[in-house]
Amino acid sequence: MFRIRCPYCGERDQIEFGYGGEAHIARPADPDALSDAQWADYVFMRTNTKGLFAERWVHSAGCRRWFNALRDTATDRFVATYVIGEAPPLPVPQLVPGDQAPDPAEAIPEEAAGGGQR
Amino acid sequence: MIDERRVSPLAHREPLHAGDFAHLAEDAFRGIVMVRAAPIHLAAPLQAVTGRTLPIRAGHADLGRRCAVLWLGPDEWAIMTAPDAAAQITQELSAELTGYHHQIVDVSDYNTVLTLRGSRVRELLAKLITIDLHPRHFARGTGVSTLCGKAQVWLVCREDETSAREPLFEVVVRRSMADYLWCLIADAGREWAMPVQDPIGQVPLHMPV
Ligand SMILES: [Zn+2]
């Protein structure tokens, strides 16, 4: 059992919260312009960080608001929580340009990346 | 319009007593109105319609004889009022907020209110709720949305040890979870000889380990 600080309600037990996956993934402005591989990358591919990780949580049994959290995936310790729209209070590796996995559309031929029929 | 044939979610239950330690009852047909709006737009209309001050701090409720206003989120509140008063409040508040982005919904029929009073109710509720219920932390005018067992509830402290002889809590729960919550609270009160209540359909209160 551990406690999570909701940015709106304060500290509450973890059973009141739900997990929402990696944070700060922007929906592509023009999905029609993307290849299937690029779209699949947006929908499915997530960084698999060991260490500080920005992720989304929802206080489902409390104020029912979504917020972002920085959690250390190695120790399961919550370092910070902050409201949606704010920048993370600490630098996180997943948001550093060039530190992410290469774009699969560039790295792999499209058929191999599971681009599908069109 | 009130339908005279209406049945409250816990109409099949009778109030329960565990000596002077805890008393459980349903406060049926209470009016409950959910309000979403920007606090800056809502504060004055709310004052005009209900006479209450908009609570802007998390976990607080402004209690009054006719109405209580409970903080639920940064732009969301619940108004708890007398039976049959919800429709008028909904109407008046909607009129006052015309032109502002808002949502006002009468959810009276969707919920019911359990009242729990007695000298040991804090200890009883502490078995089911993860929030600190010590009188210093959860005094009169505190209200939160949280989990009570598996049911999502709003818990409001209406009276505490300084304002009354014994604390009084209100637990607001959705209709479909009301019987489960009733039986769960009775189960938590076994220590003080609260009568056992069998859940409708014999659904087990606790998952087998
Ligand atoms: Zn919250």
Side-chain angles (χ1 to χ4, degrees):
Chain A
M1 179 185 116
F2 60 94
R3 291 169 73 78
I4 300 172
R5 192 187 66 84
C6 168
Y8 302 106
C9 303
E11 271 206 354
R12 295 290 188 90
D13 193 88
Q14 71 174 99
I15 57 168
E16 294 188 6
F17 295 85
Y19 182 62
E22 184 174 354
H24 303 293
I25 296 177
R27 185 184 172 86
D30 185 7
D32 287 345
L34 300 187
S35 70
D36 284 356
Q38 286 169 320
W39 182 250
D41 181 53
Y42 158 68
V43 173
F44 299 113
M45 301 309 285
R46 299 292 179 261
T47 52
N48 186 16
T49 308
K50 181 177 182 183
L52 203 58
F53 186 56
E55 55 193 16
R56 300 183 303 168
W57 284 80
V58 59
H59 191 186
S60 40
C63 61
R64 303 184 299 154
R65 292 318 185 270
W66 285 89
F67 60 91
N68 291 332
L70 296 185
R71 183 176 60 97
D72 190 317
T73 57
T75 61
D76 215 11
R77 206 170 279 278
F78 278 76
V79 177
T81 52
Y82 52 104
V83 303
I84 298 278
E86 276 181 5
L90 290 169
V92 282
Q94 85 218 57
L95 297 179
V96 178
D99 198 34
Q100 303 205 1
D103 185 344
E106 296 165 18
I108 326 164
E110 203 152 290
E111 313 87 88
Q117 306 297 313
R118 75 192 69 182
Chain B
M1 271 299 281
I2 300 301
D3 188 334
E4 293 304 327
R5 296 165 301 174
R6 66 183 177 173
V7 175
S8 80
L10 292 168
H12 56 292
R13 301 287 181 188
E14 293 294 326
L16 299 181
H17 307 282
D20 287 336
F21 301 127
H23 307 272
L24 175 65
E26 182 192 21
D27 193 357
F29 306 128
R30 285 275 295 277
I32 301 169
V33 181
M34 299 276 290
V35 183
R36 292 197 68 174
I40 192 162
H41 298 148
L42 181 60
L46 185 84
Q47 181 85 55
V49 172
T50 66
R52 304 321 314 162
T53 307
L54 188 70
I56 47 166
R57 274 175 59 205
H60 282 261
D62 190 52
L63 307 178
R65 271 170 55 84
R66 198 170 69 89
C67 282
V69 181
L70 171 65
W71 184 98
L72 290 179
D75 60 358
E76 186 169 10
W77 290 266
I79 302 170
M80 297 171 62
T81 183
D84 315 336
Q88 198 188 344
I89 287 176
T90 307
Q91 204 173 22
E92 289 180 16
L93 211 49
S94 298
E96 292 268 352
L97 283 166
T98 305
Y100 296 117
H101 190 54
H102 71 277
Q103 182 188 49
I104 301 172
V105 185
D106 179 352
V107 293
S108 312
D109 296 340
Y110 180 45
N111 295 279
T112 194
V113 179
L114 275 62
T115 60
L116 196 53
R117 66 176 175 83
S119 55
R120 295 301 180 97
V121 290
R122 289 182 190 274
E123 285 147 277
L124 192 159
L125 283 169
K127 297 182 188 182
L128 308 171
I129 284 176
T130 56
I131 289 183
D132 181 2
L133 293 175
H134 190 280
R136 259 202 315 269
H137 183 259
F138 213 98
R140 183 178 189 276
T142 310
V144 296
S145 172
T146 186
L147 285 174
C148 187
K150 297 288 179 201
Q152 202 207 328
V153 300
W154 306 334
L155 179 70
V156 182
C157 182
R158 296 292 304 218
E159 303 288 351
D160 64 14
E161 287 76 355
T162 57
S163 69
R165 205 172 54 83
E166 54 192 10
L168 168 65
F169 287 85
E170 286 177 349
V171 191
V172 185
V173 65
R174 295 196 179 105
R175 187 176 196 100
S176 55
M177 296 298 271
D179 190 71
Y180 160 80
L181 187 67
W182 178 275
C183 298
L184 193 71
I185 290 174
D187 186 57
R190 292 279 303 280
E191 180 180 343
W192 302 283
M194 196 170 260
V196 178
Q197 301 286 288
D198 286 325
I200 291 178
Q202 309 298 313
V203 182
L205 289 177
H206 307 283
M207 286 293 146
V209 183

